Structures are given as C-alpha cells and as structure tokens.
Amino acid sequence: MSVTVTVASGDAMRQLGRALAAVLRAGDLVVLSGPLGAGKTTLAQGIGAGLDVHGQVASPTFIIARTHAPVGDGPAMVHVDAYRLTSLAELDHLDLDTSLEEAVTLVEWGEGKAEALSEDRLHVVIERERGGELDLAEPERGVRTVTITPHGDRWAGVDLAEAVGA
C-alpha cells in the first residue's frame, strides 16, 4: 500500500530520508523518480545520514554510481544516477547485483530501468508544486508530494506510514 506525504523544504526532505532509513536494511533497493530538482538527491542525503555512511552524498550524475561505506555496523549505501543510461543493459553493466545483498541501493532516474534488479523494492515518486517548475534561485523551496510504494514480500508487514510519520 502506497504512503503519500507532503514535504515543505529541503530540510524536511532530508528528515523524511532519515526516517525512511530506519526501515532500510542491506539488500534493499529504492528507486527514486521525479523531475529535475524534485529532491531525489536531497532525499538520498537524508537516507545516507540515517544509515550513517561516510562521505558527502551528492548527485552521482557524472560518475553514475558512488558507494558510501558505513561508519559503524550498518549497511553501505550505493547511490546511482541512471539519468544518462538508456537501457537496462547499461544499468546491468554497473554490476549492481554484486552489491545489492550487502548495501542499500538508491537509483535516481531508475524508473523503467532498475525494477529488474529486484522484485522487492521501494518506488519513491517526488512531485513539485507549481506545475513542476524549478526555482533555480531557491531549488529547495516549495512543497513536494512524496509517494512511497512498496513492491515484493520484503515489505509485507512493514508499516511505512508509521515509519515516515504519515
């Protein structure tokens, strides 16, 4: 069952990511969708903070994938930007399946490509208000609607609404 929350700022998006991280574990796949500037990387920053991983979580647009090792005993986080990839075959060449069991894998722009990596996944869709226009002067301002949809047996019995405060 999908959960929808309204997020009013970049800080609130990072807080949502921290809350979501509390239910994530090694082997989880999270597919992030939304237009440019919607807040996919901002949500990933919150998830990284919640998982307590090393390094600054930034958009991996030009390097395609970045692995963040855990600070403690938690899972690593693999952060992928599939925007430049044109097919599942290109995504498959990243050899993500070798890290899927050991890390939480986030794939920005992964809709239509990353679903084949795992039947068990969360699909997070972020939509901006105001017709979807991005204010470049203040990209983190503006209300976003975030819909989280679980897929697969892994999410049976997980109360996402409670986890994210919906």
Side-chain angles (χ1 to χ4, degrees):
M1 172 181 242
S2 294
V3 174
T4 300
V5 295
T6 301
V7 179
S9 68
D11 287 339
M13 185 69 79
R14 281 185 278 281
Q15 182 57 41
L16 175 62
R18 282 191 281 284
L20 190 56
V23 297
L24 295 173
R25 63 185 188 207
D28 286 343
L29 172 65
V30 181
V31 179
L32 304 172
S33 300
L36 184 65
K40 296 178 295 294
T41 299
T42 304
L43 182 67
Q45 290 169 346
I47 292 171
L51 292 175
D52 195 21
V53 298
H54 283 287
Q56 177 185 0
V57 175
S59 178
T61 300
F62 296 104
I63 60 168
I64 311 294
R66 177 179 287 130
T67 300
H68 296 273
V71 171
D73 293 333
M77 183 177 90
V78 176
H79 187 197
V80 179
D81 187 324
Y83 182 77
R84 296 168 158 242
L85 305 179
T86 59
S87 68
L88 175 60
E90 286 183 327
L91 187 61
D92 192 47
H93 286 354
L94 295 176
D95 213 14
L96 295 176
D97 54 347
T98 60
S99 63
L100 273 174
E101 298 299 317
E102 305 159 359
V104 171
T105 302
L106 308 177
V107 183
E108 294 188 32
W109 301 100
E111 188 172 8
K113 301 171 192 159
E115 295 88 352
L117 293 172
S118 177
E119 290 181 15
D120 295 314
R121 63 188 178 281
L122 291 180
H123 188 183
V124 180
V125 177
I126 306 171
E127 298 172 320
R128 287 191 311 260
E129 68 172 3
R130 294 175 299 180
E133 289 184 31
L134 174 63
D135 180 354
L136 292 176
E138 298 182 80
E140 290 200 351
R141 285 194 62 171
V143 174
R144 269 71 166 180
T145 301
V146 181
T147 303
I148 305 167
T149 305
H151 297 272
D153 293 338
R154 153 67 176 105
W155 298 103
V158 176
D159 190 342
L160 288 172
E162 181 180 329
V164 300

